[in-house]
Amino acid sequence: MRKNLISFDDVTKEEMQEILDITQYIKDKQKRGELYEPLKKKTLGLIFQKPSTRTRVSFDAGMFQLGGKAIILNLADLQLSRGESIEDTARVLSRYMDGMVIRGEHRFLAGLAKNSTIPVINGLTEKFHPCQILSDLFTIKERGMEPKGLKVVFVGDGNNVCQSLMQGAAKFGMNMVFTGPEGYEPDGKILKQTVAEAKKNGGSIKIEYDPEKAVREADVIYTDTWVSMGQEKEEAARVKAFRLFQVNAKLLKKAKQDCMIMHCLPAHRGQEITSEVLDGKQSVVWDQAENRLHTQKAVLMLWLSK
Ligand code: CP
Ligand code: NVA
């Protein structure tokens, strides 16, 4: 039985494919203006320890569009903020709702998941961001590209978005390259696990410290902020460390001519990406953002309807 969606360790490739197929079905229905409310009377809690625009609003709007209700649970308004334990909070919330989306520290999410009897969906932790990557895989397919064998180069910090991309790439047999400064690579255990899984599925995951070499023959270049939420104090050091890893016109020239540009957003124009590239014709970032809504609705349907 499907319980949580904390990382792609929780799903098979077939289940991910099912999510993408349902996404297409839901998106088509919505574009035709058809009412589709399979989650009537279902409730979803949204607990966010960190800011969010796309994840929060698309889950809230998505739940409403599917006929259900989302409840935004501000941390400051919960008894958690006065010391009620994560365990007790999880037990009680499980009696009221059909699922929860959590954004925050991985430990916090894991604690709630462990003590919940309803599905817990990861809305981003410092380790993973699976909902983002579902939207990205859908966007890649929507653009007529087959993930298997595709060369996807992640330029930047090897944390949450990158690590979920690695897990997704491994399952779909992509050829993924990480490029970023030394010291900011993805977690060694996740790297080892995804390298082995990618190989089994006919793909590969590699590290290349030279960004120009890394993007050679790239079909997709993907980037994310150099300074993730919670790392604000490290900003100066990070901007210095990542300065050679900007996605700009010069770097884009080294990739395939029609290489697609992806970014999970929010973007920091002039840092990890230039406006010229973000707003350029190879960029699909606004479709990626829109598709968060449709992929999340598919996840909600699958996780909450049981
Ligand atoms: N990409 C993403 O998760 O955006 P938010 O932080 O706005 O949710
Ligand atoms: N790596 C970024 C992703 C934002 C969606 C962060 O954690 O802030």
Side-chain angles (χ1 to χ4, degrees):
M1 190 195 131
R2 257 186 216 109
K3 167 127 165 55
N4 297 320
L5 177 56
I6 292 176
S7 77
F8 290 142
D9 286 334
D10 296 323
V11 281
T12 61
K13 186 205 162 185
E14 289 66 35
E15 285 169 327
M16 284 174 75
Q17 187 56 55
E18 188 187 3
I19 298 169
L20 302 181
D21 293 343
I22 294 178
T23 301
Q24 189 67 61
Y25 175 78
I26 291 176
K27 183 169 179 176
D28 290 346
K29 259 188 178 314
Q30 178 162 324
K31 297 283 170 194
R32 290 195 299 267
E34 290 173 28
L35 197 66
Y36 184 56
E37 299 185 326
L39 296 185
K40 265 209 160 97
K41 299 264 156 67
K42 299 275 184 188
T43 48
L44 175 77
L46 296 172
I47 304 184
F48 282 63
Q49 273 186 330
K50 295 177 177 181
S52 167
T53 298
R54 281 141 287 266
T55 308
R56 185 199 312 251
V57 178
S58 55
F59 267 114
D60 191 352
M63 198 58 193
F64 174 73
Q65 289 168 10
L66 292 172
K69 180 178 171 55
I71 306 174
I72 301 200
L73 300 161
N74 290 316
L75 270 183
D77 299 336
L78 292 175
Q79 295 286 9
L80 252 177
S81 65
R82 294 180 55 251
E84 186 169 16
S85 73
I86 290 179
E87 291 77 8
D88 293 355
T89 303
R91 284 188 196 110
V92 172
L93 291 178
S94 295
R95 301 223 175 179
Y96 300 142
M97 304 188 297
D98 301 288
M100 276 190 276
V101 176
I102 322 267
R103 166 171 291 197
E105 281 166 30
H106 201 81
R107 266 199 350 224
F108 175 67
L109 171 91
L112 281 166
K114 190 165 165 228
N115 295 283
S116 292
T117 51
I118 54 173
V120 168
I121 297 166
N122 183 350
L124 178 147
T125 68
E126 69 279 14
K127 281 179 84 170
F128 296 114
H129 196 5
C131 293
Q132 176 64 49
I133 302 308
L134 286 171
S135 175
D136 304 335
L137 288 167
F138 181 80
T139 306
I140 287 173
K141 283 180 166 253
E142 192 176 43
R143 291 280 170 151
M145 295 168 124
E146 186 44 50
K148 197 170 170 72
L150 205 68
K151 179 166 177 184
V152 180
V153 182
F154 185 92
V155 184
D157 191 6
N159 66 350
N160 44 19
V161 170
C162 176
Q163 291 181 160
S164 281
L165 183 63
M166 287 162 70
Q167 289 197 322
K171 280 205 159 65
F172 280 83
M174 293 175 163
N175 294 317
M176 180 175 162
V177 179
F178 164 85
T179 185
E182 280 189 64
Y184 295 93
E185 300 88 347
D187 175 77
K189 232 172 97 184
I190 297 169
L191 181 66
K192 205 171 149 201
Q193 185 199 350
T194 53
V195 164
E197 195 178 355
K199 196 169 166 202
K200 216 174 63 200
N201 294 324
S204 59
I205 313 264
K206 292 187 177 138
I207 292 189
E208 166 56 64
Y209 292 101
D210 179 341
E212 295 202 350
K213 269 194 203 158
V215 302
R216 265 183 216 153
E217 292 302 309
D219 296 295
V220 176
I221 294 177
Y222 196 127
T223 190
D224 179 17
T225 183
W226 294 340
V227 188
S228 284
M229 289 177 275
Q231 298 173 335
E232 290 76 10
K233 284 200 183 107
E234 299 170 33
E235 176 156 4
R238 286 179 162 266
V239 168
K240 194 168 165 221
F242 282 95
R243 71 195 182 284
L244 301 176
F245 293 88
Q246 185 186 63
V247 176
N248 53 30
K250 183 167 171 262
L251 189 69
L252 201 52
K253 278 209 185 79
K254 309 280 174 193
K256 274 192 185 161
Q257 214 184 349
D258 56 353
C259 174
M260 202 160 89
I261 299 298
M262 302 187 89
H263 193 310
C264 56
L265 303 178
H268 303 77
R269 293 166 183 262
Q271 285 195 2
E272 76 274 5
I273 193 162
T274 58
S275 283
E276 185 188 8
V277 173
L278 189 75
D279 299 326
K281 60 181 193 316
Q282 285 163 258
S283 164
V284 297
V285 301
W286 315 114
D287 286 349
Q288 271 178 275
E290 177 189 331
N291 287 332
R292 293 292 305 275
L293 172 69
H294 309 297
T295 38
Q296 277 157 200
K297 283 165 77 177
V299 167
L300 289 171
M301 266 183 64
L302 288 168
W303 264 257
L304 266 55
S305 58
K306 293 269 156 65

